């Protein structure tokens, strides 16, 4: 009786090894794809103004800090380019009062939708994200064509890892190759959250 039992066990061993290999490969594939899935889910939720789902994919305290830093840097560069000291002083005062409300308006589902649809803040007084910042979904790794009524023309979107725990979506616009990026950071093994915006004028 031991002979047939051994033969059966030996026959099932390769099947178990194959099954384990398949499971491991599938798990690694899911780990690799997880930020793309998070990006797609967040964009869909933001476009639908699904605040509950957006909250699951955005680290709002980190995003606020990033927006404050980036908008302050944007305004500083503009002031440094202004040779008129009086205008620079007025601009600095306007800038201080501008940053808080602008950050608050973009740290919302509307703001996240705008950021993920190629419409970052420009630092203009009284600026708010477009109320209907939606487009036809496109692959995050390929260029997509925005709708003329809601987004700048000649925009391309690329996405990819920038380290083991950081995933970056870069939006390139036709305005002298201006670009900005949305930064997702890993939380745990499969969870990714939008945590920062990098504005480059």
């Amino acid at each position: 009786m031991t002979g047939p039992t051994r033969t059966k066990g030996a026959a099932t061993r390769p099947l178990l090894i194959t099954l384990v290999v398949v499971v491991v490969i599938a798990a690694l594939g899911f780990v690799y794809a997880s930020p793309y899935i998070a990006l797609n889910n967040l964009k869909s939720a933001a476009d639908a103004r699904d605040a509950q789902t957006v909250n699951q994919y955005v680290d709002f305290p980190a995003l606020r800090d990033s927006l404050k830093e980036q908008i302050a840097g944007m305004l500083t560069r503009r002031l440094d380019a202004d040779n008129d000291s009086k205008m620079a002083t007025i601009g600095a005062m306007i800038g201080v009062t501008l940053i808080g409300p602008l950050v608050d308006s973009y740290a919302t589902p509307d703001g996240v939708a705008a950021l993920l649809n190629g419409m970052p803040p420009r630092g203009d007084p009284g600026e708010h994200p477009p109320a209907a910042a939606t487009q036809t979904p496109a692959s995050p790794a390929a260029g997509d064509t925005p709708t003329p009524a809601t987004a700048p023309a000649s925009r391309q979107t690329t996405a990819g890892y920038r380290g083991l725990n950081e995933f970056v979506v870069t939006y390139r616009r036709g305005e002298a190759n201006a670009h900005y990026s949305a930064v997702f950071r890993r939380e745990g093994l499969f969870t990714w959250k939008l945590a920062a915006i990098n504005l480059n004028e």
Side-chain angles (χ1 to χ4, degrees):
M1 296 297 290
T2 57
T5 302
R6 286 180 181 174
T7 303
K8 186 177 180 181
T12 58
R13 201 169 294 154
L15 293 176
L16 289 174
I17 292 173
T18 301
L19 180 61
V20 169
V21 170
V22 169
V23 169
V24 169
I25 292 174
L28 290 175
F30 184 74
V31 169
Y32 178 82
S34 58
Y36 293 93
I37 295 169
L39 171 61
N40 183 65
N41 290 345
L42 174 57
K43 187 177 184 306
S44 296
D47 287 346
R49 304 309 188 266
D50 180 355
Q52 184 174 356
T53 303
V54 168
N55 287 338
Q56 296 175 12
Y57 290 99
V58 180
D59 182 346
F60 277 110
L63 181 61
R64 285 175 183 274
D65 290 343
S66 175
L67 283 168
K68 284 180 184 178
E69 180 181 345
Q70 293 295 313
I71 294 169
M74 178 193 300
L75 295 173
T76 299
R77 290 191 295 272
R78 288 182 187 175
L79 293 175
D80 288 344
D82 191 343
N83 295 325
D84 188 333
S85 60
K86 290 182 180 179
M87 289 302 295
T89 302
I90 294 172
M93 290 188 295
I94 293 174
V96 169
T97 60
L98 168 70
I99 292 175
L102 185 51
V103 168
D104 289 341
S105 69
Y106 270 85
T108 62
D110 276 344
V112 171
L115 293 170
L116 297 181
N117 280 301
M119 290 170 275
R122 296 181 178 274
D124 299 327
E127 180 183 2
H128 292 280
T134 59
Q135 297 181 47
T136 301
S139 171
D144 58 328
T145 304
T147 55
T150 59
S154 304
R155 181 176 63 79
Q156 292 182 334
T157 305
T158 57
Y161 281 87
R162 193 172 65 188
L164 184 62
N165 298 314
E166 197 166 83
F167 181 83
V168 179
V169 186
T170 302
Y171 302 84
R172 298 184 184 279
R173 294 167 287 168
E175 306 161 9
N177 202 30
H179 65 280
Y180 76 99
S181 58
V183 181
F184 287 73
R185 297 200 174 105
R186 187 195 298 272
E187 292 189 2
L189 187 59
F190 301 110
T191 303
W192 292 82
K193 289 190 176 184
L194 175 62
I197 295 294
N198 184 16
L199 300 174
N200 294 289
E201 293 187 294

